[in-house]
């Protein structure tokens, strides 16, 4: 389900139960609870091998594998919402009571980023961020009203200006990193400790304004939302939502990244475009950097499309001077990276076509919609690996209660494998040497 539609459903439910909570629990939320429920991941990483980014295991029949393999000739495992910790049990149980289907979408938890990189061999991560220009916008968590707890967090980091990192304000906010900068620092620290790693790809989604979507809802739902927010405001609980995105937010995004990473640590659109007029021409004609050129570096990709992507491209149509690659349509001047989250049906052939043209593609092995309908399984996962997409994002890089896991086929404890559609020299998908591991 699209993020905005899902978020609006949660807001409606939250507002409705806020009305109930505020009328039934007046005066019972006086104590600030700064300490969240202790987090323990039920999964284990003890069966994973320590990371190794040496590509000798591919057994390619060529000399100088790093120098002759480009980054788009490999396939990498990624995580979706990589910062994520599921809601505390008491709140999750309330959500299950309200809507078991929605609650199932929240039933997963990721390890911290350094564990994902080292133990799970993840090389693509996703960070969801929210604009907070003045600071304090998300310092209240209205979902705590469902538990008759004080919604004010008292967390200093949430009072400071800057992008905040979470899934959904007020209701699904638990995260290993409170701010975008904290998440970036975790990536940088691991990268500097492991300077020979394959490139890390950081997908960034900027969560935007919802006011237009609320106004388009049926009047009864608008009434529930407005009543809940009005009553919450009466007791001093601001139910703040993301503000409208502005051009300055695009510059702030680049600036926060550069406040953590030196530009030499990043693969930028300018690096890839080089002397070509457009990024699209460079990708189609020259190609992406080699593994040798990309080792130890980080690449940033903007998940957003439409309005936010267009704001990021404003005055920079080929991403000159920008830090992130955008998910742009093929043959556009900014085209280089394309997001196609569902690898099935019509997207199956699209992904193959775009990979053959030289674009980097991200798809997902699984999603909340499958968990909502209790249909999570191998069909979508296998389609993702077979598609040739470069980044296969999953919520489950470890064994889960769903009886489901996603790992690179034939390279389960490795950081990459040969791309089944665009393999490197020496890897024939039809007659592969040991380690080439085309999709099965």
């Amino acid at each position: 389900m699209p993020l905005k539609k899902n978020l609006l459903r949660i807001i409606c439910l939250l507002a409705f139960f806020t009305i109930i909570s505020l009328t039934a629990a007046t005066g019972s939320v006086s104590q600030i609870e700064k300490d969240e429920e202790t987090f323990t991941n039920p999964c284990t990483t003890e069966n994973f091998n320590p990371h190794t980014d040496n590509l000798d295991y591919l057994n390619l029949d060529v000399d100088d594998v790093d120098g002759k393999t480009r980054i788009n000739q490999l396939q990498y495992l990624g995580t979706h919402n990589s910062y994520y910790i599921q809601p505390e049990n008491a709140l999750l149980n309330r959500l299950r009571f309200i809507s078991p289907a929605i609650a199932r979408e929240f039933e997963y938890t990721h390890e911290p980023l350094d564990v994902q990189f080292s133990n799970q061999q993840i090389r693509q991560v996703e960070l969801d961020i929210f604009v907070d220009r003045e600071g304090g916008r998300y310092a209240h968590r209205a979902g705590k009203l469902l538990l008759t707890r004080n919604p004010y967090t008292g967390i200093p980091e949430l009072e400071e200006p800057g992008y905040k990192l979470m899934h959904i304000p007020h209701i699904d906010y638990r995260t290993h990193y409170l701010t975008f900068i904290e998440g970036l620092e975790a990536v940088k620290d691991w990268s500097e400790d492991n300077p020979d790693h394959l490139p890390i790809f950081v997908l960034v989604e900027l969560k935007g304004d919802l006011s237009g979507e609320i106004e388009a809802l049926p009047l009864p739902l608008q009434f529930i939302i407005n009543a809940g927010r009005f009553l919450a405001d009466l007791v001093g609980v601001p139910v703040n939502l993301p503000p409208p995105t502005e051009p300055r937010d695009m510059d702030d995004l680049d600036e926060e990244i550069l406040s953590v990473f030196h530009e030499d640590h990043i693969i930028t659109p300018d690096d890839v475009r080089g002397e070509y007029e457009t990024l699209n021409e460079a990708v189609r004609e020259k190609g992406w950097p080699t593994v040798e050129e990309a080792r130890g570096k980080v690449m940033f990709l903007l998940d957003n499309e439409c309005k936010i992507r267009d704001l990021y491209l404003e005055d920079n149509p080929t991403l000159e001077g920008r830090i992130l690659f955008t998910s742009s349509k093929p043959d556009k001047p900014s085209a280089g990276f394309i997001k196609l989250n569902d690898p099935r049906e019509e997207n199956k052939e699209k992904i193959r076509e775009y990979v053959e043209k030289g674009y980097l593609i991200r798809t997902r092995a699984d999603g909340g919609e499958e968990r909502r309908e209790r249909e999570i399984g191998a069909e979508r996962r296998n389609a993702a690996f077979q598609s040739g997409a470069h980044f296969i994002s999953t919520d489950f890089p470890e064994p889960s209660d769903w009886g489901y896991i996603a790992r690179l086929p034939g390279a389960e404890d490795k950081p990459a494998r040969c791309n089944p559609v665009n393999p490197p020299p020496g890897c024939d998908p039809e007659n592969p040497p040991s380690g080439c591991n085309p999709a099965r």
Side-chain angles (χ1 to χ4, degrees), residues 74-91:
L74 299 175
Q75 188 175 69
Y76 313 82
L77 187 65
T79 48
H80 166 249
N81 295 346
S82 309
Y83 54 87
Y84 188 79
I85 301 173
Q86 73 178 33
E88 56 190 300
N89 288 334
L91 183 54

Side-chain angles (χ1 to χ4, degrees), residues 2 51 168 175 244 287:
H51 78 94
I168 300 175
T175 170

